[in-house]
Amino acid sequence: MNVRYEMHIAEKEALAQYIVEHILVNNSTITLDSGTTMVAIAKKILASSLELTVITSSFAVAEVLSRTANIDLYLAGGRLNHIKEAFIDQNSIDFISTMSSDLYLLSCDGIDVKKGVTIGAPEEVAIKAKMAENAKKTICVVDGSKIGRVKLKEIFPIETIQQLVTTSSADKTHIAAIEAAGLPVTLVAETPSEA
């Protein structure tokens, strides 16, 4: 099993619950990124009564959402990146280029006011940028460990996204700087005791 699934479990669960209860709108079209937080969101969607059209390049997300008829699922194909459990090659980008959505739920490895939204795998930049370009709204959904972190490659500046949803464990100084730059931030409690 991928060790990323074992990291920040409570935070990912809390984020997924928040997204399903407060962000997703029945009968809308969403683009779900790849990553373990997106898989957690897919599991919460599966457990809900939401009816959605979902576009994804994530094999892991598609595997979860394929278990319900409530989801009209579009999976970008191409060559599978086994580490990312996603299709991120040019074939996938070409497919995503033909699709539009109401909302893109973005995952990344770091978000910083000066360095923007960053990723450790440069090969993912093009597909993430295309997903954001083809969505009416982009929300970055990451656990608190990603706030203030800068990874290898910038995907785009924070001005490209319309909202950040993260957990209350995020560094408060970095959150204040992100909010001062004009990006709305929603902090989600990681455990019921924090609610």
Side-chain angles (χ1 to χ4, degrees):
M1 175 182 237
N2 191 325
V3 295
R4 294 178 307 130
Y5 283 101
E6 299 171 13
M7 299 171 62
H8 308 284
I9 295 168
E11 291 181 275
K12 292 172 187 178
E13 287 290 317
L15 289 168
Q17 191 69 39
Y18 179 85
I19 293 297
V20 168
E21 291 179 358
H22 302 285
I23 301 292
L24 297 183
V25 176
N26 208 34
N27 296 311
S28 61
T29 300
I30 66 168
T31 302
L32 274 181
D33 207 346
S34 60
T36 55
T37 300
M38 297 301 134
V39 172
I41 292 169
K43 288 177 180 177
K44 293 292 184 186
I45 291 170
L46 181 65
S48 77
S49 60
L50 285 169
E51 294 183 10
L52 301 166
T53 298
V54 177
I55 303 161
T56 189
S57 65
S58 170
F59 183 76
V61 165
E63 191 277 324
V64 171
L65 295 178
S66 68
R67 299 178 201 159
T68 179
N70 286 349
I71 304 301
D72 192 11
L73 181 63
Y74 291 86
L75 175 61
R79 184 170 184 264
L80 179 65
N81 179 310
H82 291 279
I83 295 169
K84 298 295 180 180
E85 299 178 310
F87 301 96
I88 55 175
D89 68 0
Q90 189 60 48
N91 292 313
S92 307
I93 297 165
D94 291 346
F95 175 80
I96 294 297
S97 297
T98 68
M99 308 297 279
S100 297
S101 65
D102 301 307
L103 175 65
Y104 170 37
L105 296 177
L106 163 72
S107 179
C108 67
D109 294 336
I111 183 165
D112 178 80
V113 170
K114 292 180 183 172
K115 297 294 184 177
V117 180
T118 60
I119 194 83
E123 63 273 15
E124 290 186 84
V125 170
I127 197 159
K128 289 177 183 286
K130 186 55 72 177
M131 287 174 167
E133 179 184 322
N134 287 10
K136 293 177 187 171
K137 181 177 183 178
T138 298
I139 298 176
C140 184
V141 185
V142 293
D143 67 71
S145 72
K146 311 277 177 78
I147 307 305
R149 189 188 323 179
V150 176
K151 296 305 274 184
L152 180 63
K153 184 77 173 163
E154 180 182 327
I155 303 167
F156 34 63
I158 64 168
E159 293 81 15
T160 304
I161 60 179
Q162 286 75 47
Q163 184 178 353
L164 170 63
V165 177
T166 190
T167 50
S168 56
S169 65
D171 180 272
K172 303 305 181 244
T173 304
H174 287 292
I175 291 295
I178 290 168
E179 288 178 320
L183 180 61
V185 176
T186 300
L187 294 175
V188 176
E190 293 114 55
T191 62
S193 62
E194 286 186 46

